[in-house]
Each structure stands twice: as structure tokens, then as C-alpha cells.
Amino acid sequence: ERNRAERGITLLRRHIGMRDRISTDRLLENILDESGYAAHLALLADDQAIANVRKLIRIARGMRSRGLGDFLRTIEDARDRRERIGDAPLYGQRDDVVTITSIHSAKGLEWPVVFWCDTVRKTTMRYAPDPLRARDRIMLRDPAIDHQRDESDGWKGLKDAIDREESAEDRREWYVAMTRAMERLIVCGLPLGQREKPRTDTIAGVLWSVMPEFVAEDGAGFVYQGSNAVEHRGVVRFADPAPVVTARVESESAEEIPVLDTGILTAPREPAPVVAGSMRHSATEMLTHARCERRHWFKYVMGLREPPMTRDSKEFIDAVTRGLIVHDVLERLREEDELDVLLEDAIGRWDEEAPPPESVEGSRYRNHLREEVESVAQHRDYRAIADLANAQRELGFLHVAGPEHFYQGKIDMAAVEFDGYALLDVKTNQGHAKTAARKAEQYAPQRDVYVASAEGISNRQVGRFAFQFSRAKVQVSLSVTHGMRAEIELALARRLERVGRDDPGLTEHSWECKWCGYQKVGWCEGVGPRPNAAEAG
């Protein structure tokens, strides 16, 4: 990875020197070609990505006279506005494909036959926004008024003007949709019967009103007149729901399930394998997987946020929040007299519900955190690494572990010692010194990711790995041997084989269920009876 990174940096530096000497589109094209990124997309057969990249270059080509700075500012402004840019079209008007597009994306294009779908949909806000903004006025709602019908005449007049503008814009869009068809326009989704008469602010409702002689019978014809007084003839066709057939399922119950008759649309001959979950894995994720595959599956594969757990103690500081605050302070701490300032800043950033510092509870809260930070920052073994001239805190990394898996994260501290790298990870759990060694072994999956990533990226060995336990005031350090590296490689490979599988197992450590939000709400049955505190350690 080092050689590839150096080639990439050299490429970027050379093109940085060329900025504003050649046009932005030429600059982008050169980088894409020389980096091999265009070839990479071609090998992936990602036609949409290729089309989008070409679209970006076309935009840059249209801004040649404005320079690279203006081009970048245009992109940043679009991001700040959260402006959504549609994908570039993959096919032209004359290609033998069915194009599914929005009205906005269809501007300037035409097809022989156009299906205008979902004509009964109208997205409206239940309440008008506050403030109301027009081109020449801004008006605020009266907070004492519950309903907008009771607002002032001035507010109602501005609201009415905005509604008329939106209605006019709707009709301009409808005109675009209608005029995309060169030979035939098929309007879909008109409801039948008086009780299902559509709203007047939808295209279906407008068609009902402008064609009073419309006959809702299959095959019925009707005549309408265009703006140039030319008469046209239309025809009505009913679209029944797709027929439903049943299929037998080869199982013990042999139940019947409905299956849509899709006609010529048949299922693929072989299922396409798809990797479940993300291909990027953090050290924390690997620890979760090692402790409980089911919990990992819920959180990292299905993307379901874990339901919160309630604690009985009023003085309890959430473990995640405490860890964020302690790590935040340690990353920035350089002088002892900065500690209180950094601590208050971190509390404000990570714990909005923290008790105020002037209260008794707030004082205890801050003393607890201050003691935890000092127990790390002043520890002799921690200082042995932190005081090295080459030591780095919060060292971010992204390690390509294979064609389908990547490791990413941050190492709390890294430095070069005589026998290789020394890596350190701070742990803020509230355990005791007697259990620190056993806790360090439980965190081995995280250690494995850090060691493998550091060695894979740098091509240098890790000499030792240390866990610094803040509450226990102890450091557990372990030398990384050749035999240990082989064990780490095997353990990571086995975990990656299991990640994303649809049969995640339950934890072998029953106390894990005690603090599991998924088990609390009944999504997971858990394992066995919960042990007491002594058994759980």
C-alpha cells in the first residue's frame, strides 16, 4: 500500500502544479487516465459511475472560463444546499430501451411513446412553513394562533400568492411531461367512479375537469381540443391488477403463497450472490462479532440501531459517552493546566444532558472524568510511549485486507520503539486491576485488527501492543511474536468468513445478554439464565 500511496501523492502533486495552467476538465481527465480510475470503473462494469464521471467532466468543460477555484466553490455550494444532482443518463432517446425518468430529467428529450404514471399523486405540506418567503416579502406566523385559517389577512394573502406560484409551476411541469411524447401519450392511474374522483391539484383531477364527457368504460373514445383548436381523439383502457397464481412450497407445511404472474419476466437462472453488510469493518465491529454474532448481525449487517438500555444508578455515566469524552481530552491534552478547559469542552460536545458544573451531581460527574483522564495521562507506562518524539495520537487508518474486506479506524496512540511499533488502546471500562489481564484478552479481536492493519499498511512489524485501563490504573502490554501474528491472521480470516452470514450464532458469554438492547426488546431470545456480577467479572 505504501508504494501505491506514494504514486498517488506524486500524481496529485504534479497536477496541483498544473492547476489554472490547463482547464479544469483537462486536469480531471488527466488524473482519471493516469491514476487508472477510469479503467477501474470499466473493469467493474459500473456503467452508471462512468456516466456520472463523464457528466462531471462535461460540467467542468462548461466552466472553462472560471478556473478551478470557481469550479470547486460551485461544488461546495451545491453540497451546502444539499442539492441533489441526478445520475447521468445511460441511454439516448433512440436506444431500444425503456427509460424511467422524472419530469425534470426528461426536459429536452422526446420519445415516440410516453407513459405518464402516478397522476393522482400530490405532495403537499399539511401546514405552511414558517416563515413564509416570497420574492419581496417575509412573514412570520403568530405563535399564539393554532391554525393558519386564523392568521392575519396579510399572512393569508402571501400564502395564497405562494400557492398560486406553486400551482403555476406544477402546470409548467405537466406541460413538459405531456410534450415528451411524439406519437402517443398514455396517461396512467386515473381512478374510476365518482367516489374516487381525484383531487383538483393533481393532473388526474385536472383531466377530469377539462374532459367532462370522459366515459369510464373500457374501449370508450373521447374527443378533446388542443390550444390550436385542432381536435384529437383518445381512448380509454382499463388496467386490471396483475393476475395472481399460487405456488407450492416444498416444506413440511406445504403452504400456498401468492405469486404474481409476471409473464415473460422470469427469475434469473442462478441467484446473484451479494455480500451482506458493509465491506468496511472497524475494530469495534470485529469485537462485537467475536462476542455475539447475532448482536453484530442486527447492528452492522441489518443496520438496526440497538435499543437503549436503562440503568438504575442516577450517577451512571453512559459507557460510550464516557469513552468519547476521555479519548477527546487525551487526544488534545498537552499541558496539565489545560485539563479543565478541555474537559468542559469535551463534555459540551459529547454529553448535552450532563449536569451543570455548579451542582453537586455535576461536580461529582466532572471529578470522576478528571480522575479517569489523569489516571491515564500521568501513568508511567503510558508516558513511556506518549513522550517519544515520534508518538502520534488518534492515528487513522484504512487497510485493504482483501478484494472484499477493508479495516478502518483510529489507533489511540502509536510510536516507533527499538523492536518495531508500539500500539496503545485506552479502555474506559470500570473494571479493577485484578481483572485487567482477563479484560485485555476479551479485547483481543480489536487488538488483532490494529496489529494486522499497522503491519499491512507500513510493512513494518508491531513490537508490542498495550491496553491502558483508565479506572484500574494499569497497563497490560503484550509482545507481538511470529507465532502470535499467525494466530491473528487465522482468527481474522475465520471472522471474515462468518461476517454477513444469514445464520448468526448466539453468544457463548451469557452475561452479554444482560446489557443487550436487542434482547431487552425481544428481538433476540438470548442465552440461558443471567449470571451474577461475580460470574460476569
Side-chain angles (χ1 to χ4, degrees):
E1 289 184 353
R2 177 181 293 274
N3 292 335
R4 295 176 181 175
E6 288 176 350
R7 287 199 300 271
I9 292 172
T10 301
L11 174 69
L12 290 175
R13 284 175 176 168
R14 180 158 53 84
H15 283 81
I16 286 173
M18 297 167 60
R19 68 171 183 255
D20 294 328
R21 296 177 181 271
I22 63 175
S23 62
T24 303
D25 59 296
R26 285 285 305 280
L27 197 68
L28 289 174
E29 287 179 326
N30 289 351
I31 293 175
L32 289 170
D33 291 339
E34 295 187 34
S35 66
Y37 185 68
H40 166 71
L41 294 179
L43 289 173
L44 291 178
D46 193 341
D47 294 340
Q48 187 61 70
I50 294 172
N52 289 343
V53 169
R54 290 174 176 170
K55 180 178 180 179
L56 178 67
I57 293 175
R58 286 197 301 272
I59 294 174
R61 188 175 298 124
M63 299 176 61
R64 278 186 173 179
S65 61
R66 298 174 59 182
L68 179 61
D70 283 345
F71 177 74
L72 294 177
R73 277 190 291 273
T74 299
I75 294 177
E76 291 173 359
D77 290 345
R79 287 174 175 167
D80 292 341
R81 296 191 304 268
R82 297 184 179 180
E83 183 178 339
R84 298 184 62 183
I85 307 298
D87 285 332
L90 295 179
Y91 302 96
Q93 298 173 228
R94 303 186 182 279
D95 290 330
D96 188 19
V97 296
V98 175
T99 301
I100 301 176
T101 178
S102 66
I103 297 176
H104 284 288
S105 299
K107 288 182 178 180
L109 303 177
E110 290 181 326
W111 294 270
V113 179
V114 170
F115 287 78
W116 190 0
C117 304
D118 206 9
T119 55
V120 294
R121 179 181 297 275
K122 174 64 177 179
T123 303
T124 57
M125 291 184 299
R126 185 174 180 181
Y127 296 101
D130 190 25
L132 285 179
R133 293 183 177 89
R135 296 175 181 175
D136 56 346
R137 284 180 293 168
I138 295 179
M139 294 198 67
L140 296 172
R141 291 190 61 186
D142 187 340
I145 297 178
D146 294 331
H147 200 280
Q148 62 188 39
R149 65 169 173 262
D150 299 322
E151 290 284 351
S152 65
D153 292 339
W155 190 93
K156 291 179 181 178
L158 181 57
K159 173 67 167 54
D160 183 60
I162 293 174
D163 288 344
R164 290 198 303 271
E165 289 183 5
E166 292 179 350
S167 178
E169 178 61 24
D170 286 341
R171 279 158 175 74
R172 286 190 287 269
E173 288 187 7
W174 297 345
Y175 174 80
V176 171
M178 291 179 178
T179 54
R180 297 312 91 198
M182 296 184 291
E183 299 176 6
R184 179 171 298 180
L185 174 66
I186 301 175
V187 183
C188 308
L190 294 178
L192 304 177
Q194 292 297 323
R195 288 186 301 176
E196 298 182 18
K197 195 169 183 177
R199 291 171 43 171
T200 56
D201 56 355
T202 65
I203 183 58
V206 172
L207 291 177
W208 273 97
S209 63
V210 300
M211 295 189 298
E213 298 180 359
F214 178 80
V215 179
E217 294 181 2
D218 190 22
F222 59 94
V223 177
Y224 62 97
Q225 194 175 70
S227 59
N228 56 358
V230 176
E231 289 190 347
H232 302 274
R233 179 175 177 79
V235 64
V236 178
R237 295 296 184 192
F238 283 4
D240 293 327
V244 176
V245 299
T246 57
R248 301 289 294 183
V249 179
E250 297 299 332
S251 64
E252 295 180 1
S253 61
E255 61 177 323
E256 291 187 352
I257 59 173
V259 178
L260 286 178
D261 182 8
T262 56
I264 62 172
L265 299 179
T266 58
R269 295 180 182 273
E270 296 181 1
V274 178
V275 178
S278 172
M279 295 190 295
R280 294 194 178 193
H281 312 290
S282 66
T284 302
E285 178 190 346
M286 289 293 98
L287 175 63
T288 302
H289 185 270
R291 303 301 295 174
C292 179
E293 291 185 7
R294 184 74 60 84
R295 195 175 193 175
H296 172 275
W297 186 81
F298 276 124
K299 187 172 184 178
Y300 294 100
V301 178
M302 299 302 294
L304 300 173
R305 179 175 297 180
E306 183 171 353
M309 295 291 295
T310 57
R311 312 282 179 154
D312 297 330
S313 173
K314 294 182 179 180
E315 298 181 6
F316 177 80
I317 304 176
D318 177 75
V320 175
T321 302
R322 183 177 60 248
L324 290 170
I325 294 174
V326 171
H327 281 82
D328 191 328
V329 176
L330 288 173
E331 180 185 357
R332 293 169 172 78
L333 184 62
R334 295 297 180 270
E335 301 293 338
E336 290 186 6
D337 58 356
E338 295 179 349
L339 178 55
D340 288 337
V341 175
L342 292 175
L343 183 60
E344 200 61 40
D345 182 62
I347 292 173
R349 186 159 40 247
W350 298 111
D351 192 358
E352 296 179 354
E353 299 180 358
E358 62 272 12
S359 67
V360 175
E361 184 180 357
S363 178
R364 287 201 302 265
Y365 174 90
R366 284 158 178 80
N367 288 337
H368 179 99
L369 291 170
R370 185 182 299 105
E371 178 186 350
E372 200 152 347
V373 172
E374 290 176 339
S375 71
V376 175
Q378 299 174 6
H379 195 278
R380 179 187 60 185
D381 296 333
Y382 178 86
R383 301 260 35 116
I385 300 177
D387 291 340
L388 293 173
N390 54 58
Q392 295 191 47
R393 293 175 170 87
E394 295 295 318
L395 186 63
F397 66 88
L398 174 64
H399 173 49
V400 181
E404 294 183 349
H405 295 286
F406 312 84
Y407 293 125
Q408 66 178 2
K410 287 185 178 180
I411 301 173
D412 290 342
M413 186 175 295
V416 179
E417 293 183 326
F418 63 93
D419 59 346
Y421 287 118
L423 307 181
L424 182 142
D425 188 38
V426 176
K427 292 300 177 188
T428 57
N429 68 71
Q430 304 298 281
H432 303 288
K434 294 181 180 179
T435 62
R438 181 159 56 85
K439 286 288 185 182
E441 187 58 33
Q442 292 176 1
Y443 288 121
Q446 285 184 308
R447 176 204 65 202
D448 294 349
V449 171
Y450 292 138
V451 171
S453 298
E455 294 189 343
I457 293 172
S458 67
N459 203 26
R460 295 185 60 174
Q461 291 186 348
V462 174
R464 69 185 179 105
F465 190 95
F467 284 111
Q468 190 78 35
F469 292 92
S470 58
R471 178 54 51 181
K473 301 180 181 180
V474 64
Q475 182 182 114
V476 178
S477 182
L478 183 67
S479 298
V480 180
T481 64
H482 292 295
M484 182 178 175
R485 290 188 184 90
E487 293 176 359
I488 288 176
E489 182 179 359
L490 180 60
L492 289 176
R494 287 176 174 174
R495 291 190 193 107
L496 289 178
E497 288 180 359
R498 294 287 306 174
V499 167
R501 294 181 58 170
D502 57 2
D503 57 342
L506 293 173
T507 180
E508 297 179 357
H509 314 283
S510 56
W511 62 84
E512 293 282 337
C513 299
K514 184 176 182 180
W515 305 118
C516 176
Y518 302 112
Q519 195 270 346
K520 170 193 172 184
V521 298
W523 294 358
C524 177
E525 65 273 21
V527 292
R530 296 175 178 173
N532 56 40
E535 292 173 327

